[in-house]
Amino acid sequence: MRRRRHRWPLVILLCLFMLITPGCWDSKDVDNRLMVGVIGLQKSSDSSLKVWFRFPLPKGTQENKKNDFFTLSQYGETVSDAMNRVKYKLPKALDPSSTRAVLLDESLAHAGLDPYLEFAIRERSVPLDAVVAVIRGDMERIFTNTNPTGELTGIYTKLFFEPYAGGIPRKNKMMLWEVYSKLYSPFHANLIPLLTEGKQNSFVLAGNAIFVKDKIVGELNKDESLLYEIFTHRFHDSEVELMSKSDVRIVHNRTRLKTALKNGKPVIQIDCSLVTTLIDSSRSRKQNASEVVAELEKSLNAHAKSMFEKTQRAGADIFGFGNRFRSRLQPSEYEKWPEMFKHAEISYTFRIDLRNTGLEFLD
């Protein structure tokens, strides 16, 4: 009898826990949700914003000879306003938690990104690891065209930048959290991939857009972008450098930085060691190994020079060099770093190890 009496308080306690536990009363089944694959932000002619949504469709809902996605657009004063308005058009719940990419119209990027990305950080409805890219061209055609290789919507854009898939060093992968964090950092500016509409595929890499705070101020071409990847330790896989008489593959790099502050002027020294292999050479105009190395070094120096000229002219430290000077500056001087970067003394040297030259170069 005593054991039974001791059980009653436990039973009552468990019943109370069941009453206060919310359970899953507000959940929605997967088949009652529309998963967003890609979100596009486009500046309209007036002060409003046009938001594009692309939804992948499960195979069970696809009709014969129909696309595996559908696209919807909505105007709004803000992104959150547009997302709320589009719900009136949908038979199912809008679920942006599966978003793989956020595409930004170039005109919006010139106006300023900050007001349009804040929703993602505050609400956390869009994954912070979604890739971000700037679109030059017709946003509507990009969102309505089918993916040529058959991936579900959103996955195609994600794989375009992934190192294990279509990503190569010149494709500078930027995620939403990286972009937002650099908007408020005086020591590190954004460099966001710039895509144009492709004729045979969804889009093509045109280069990378340079930002000062949240606005575009310039652009790096693909060759300059390769130097950016090398200098910032973002280089992965391998990359081919085309020259006049031979083709060389860069397979590995190691970059060392030395920084100093002399009389208030930043001094940055970059020492870059590259391991390369010869993959092709001209049969009519032969070069020896030293000539190939000399031409490659000349090409890399030219790209590096133009890259630093563009970034220093705009005061855009896309490399994050300023983080190495943080401890040498007073907190009140942090905001002066973009101006200091304009006048920084930057030098660079390339040490090239050319391999796989074969019997052609034997004397």
Side-chain angles (χ1 to χ4, degrees):
M1 292 293 293
R2 288 182 178 179
R3 291 181 179 179
R4 292 181 179 178
R5 290 177 181 176
H6 288 308
R7 290 177 181 174
W8 280 109
L10 180 61
V11 173
I12 295 173
L13 184 63
L14 291 174
C15 291
L16 290 175
F17 274 120
M18 292 175 65
L19 291 174
I20 64 176
T21 302
C24 300
W25 59 271
D26 60 344
S27 66
K28 292 182 175 66
D29 294 334
V30 174
D31 57 351
N32 288 325
R33 288 183 286 173
L34 283 171
M35 315 294 285
V36 180
V38 185
I39 292 178
L41 306 182
Q42 183 179 10
K43 189 76 174 175
S44 61
S45 56
D46 54 8
S47 60
S48 63
L49 179 72
K50 189 174 185 180
V51 182
W52 291 88
F53 303 90
R54 184 150 152 161
F55 305 91
L57 295 175
K59 292 184 178 180
T61 62
Q62 298 174 21
E63 299 179 9
N64 294 332
K65 298 181 181 180
K66 293 289 184 178
N67 294 330
D68 60 353
F69 69 93
F70 81 96
T71 300
L72 207 59
S73 63
Q74 177 62 53
Y75 288 95
E77 296 299 321
T78 63
V79 179
S80 299
D81 180 42
M83 293 177 71
N84 186 61
R85 290 173 181 268
V86 81
K87 294 177 182 178
Y88 294 104
K89 302 179 179 180
L90 299 174
K92 299 182 180 181
L94 179 71
D95 187 355
S97 63
S98 60
T99 305
R100 294 292 183 267
V102 178
L103 304 182
L104 310 170
D105 182 64
E106 187 179 13
S107 61
L108 182 142
H110 279 288
L113 301 179
D114 192 17
Y116 308 106
L117 296 184
E118 189 175 4
F119 84 98
I121 305 299
R122 289 186 177 276
E123 191 180 7
R124 301 293 178 91
S125 58
V126 176
L128 296 182
D129 63 348
V131 296
V132 179
V134 176
I135 297 296
R136 173 179 291 166
D138 192 339
M139 185 79 77
E140 181 177 0
R141 286 203 298 266
I142 288 178
F143 268 77
T144 54
N145 288 344
T146 58
N147 294 330
T149 52
E151 284 82 13
L152 287 175
T153 183
I155 301 298
Y156 179 91
T157 311
K158 186 83 170 176
L159 293 179
F160 185 82
F161 294 101
E162 289 293 351
Y164 61 80
I168 56 175
R170 284 181 172 89
K171 292 180 181 178
N172 171 39
K173 179 185 176 184
M174 288 295 292
M175 292 181 286
L176 184 58
W177 69 267
E178 291 182 278
V179 173
Y180 193 81
S181 65
K182 293 174 185 177
L183 292 180
Y184 296 96
S185 173
F187 296 110
H188 207 161
N190 271 305
L191 185 72
I192 302 179
L194 180 62
L195 307 177
T196 58
E197 181 187 1
K199 294 181 179 180
Q200 296 179 332
N201 50 1
S202 295
F203 35 71
V204 180
L205 180 72
N208 285 278
I210 305 170
F211 282 75
V212 168
K213 293 186 177 179
D214 64 339
K215 296 181 180 180
I216 290 181
V217 295
E219 179 183 334
L220 295 186
N221 60 37
K222 291 189 281 290
D223 291 327
E224 295 163 345
S225 300
L226 176 61
L227 267 297
Y228 163 80
E229 296 283 323
I230 290 174
F231 287 162
T232 57
H233 305 280
R234 298 170 70 97
F235 186 88
H236 61 82
D237 196 19
S238 63
E239 187 63 277
V240 175
E241 184 72 14
L242 303 181
M243 296 181 292
S244 63
K245 301 177 184 179
S246 59
D247 299 337
V248 173
R249 184 185 301 278
I250 302 173
V251 296
H252 180 70
N253 89 290
R254 184 178 181 183
T255 301
R256 301 178 183 87
L257 292 177
K258 290 183 179 180
T259 57
L261 195 62
K262 296 180 179 179
N263 300 322
K265 183 178 182 179
V267 178
I268 303 168
Q269 296 177 330
I270 306 173
D271 184 81
C272 183
S273 300
L274 299 175
V275 177
T276 64
T277 61
L278 182 68
I279 60 175
D280 195 9
S281 61
S282 173
R283 294 295 178 265
S284 59
R285 297 178 297 172
K286 294 184 179 180
Q287 290 178 308
N288 58 35
S290 60
E291 289 174 335
V292 173
V293 170
E295 184 180 356
L296 176 59
E297 185 177 355
K298 181 180 178 180
S299 176
L300 294 175
N301 275 293
H303 298 326
K305 180 182 178 182
S306 62
M307 175 183 65
F308 283 122
E309 286 178 350
K310 289 179 180 179
T311 54
Q312 286 191 274
R313 189 187 310 119
D317 183 8
I318 59 175
F319 314 95
F321 292 148
N323 291 317
R324 293 175 174 265
F325 293 88
R326 184 188 295 268
S327 61
R328 304 169 191 174
L329 300 175
Q330 296 297 324
S332 60
E333 298 176 306
Y334 288 173
E335 295 298 328
K336 298 179 182 179
W337 173 250
E339 190 64 28
M340 295 175 66
F341 179 69
K342 289 183 179 181
H343 303 94
E345 181 182 323
I346 303 177
S347 59
Y348 40 86
T349 57
F350 295 97
R351 306 176 192 276
I352 301 173
D353 178 14
L354 180 63
R355 302 176 181 178
N356 195 35
T357 56
L359 299 177
E360 290 289 333
F361 294 143
L362 292 179
D363 296 328

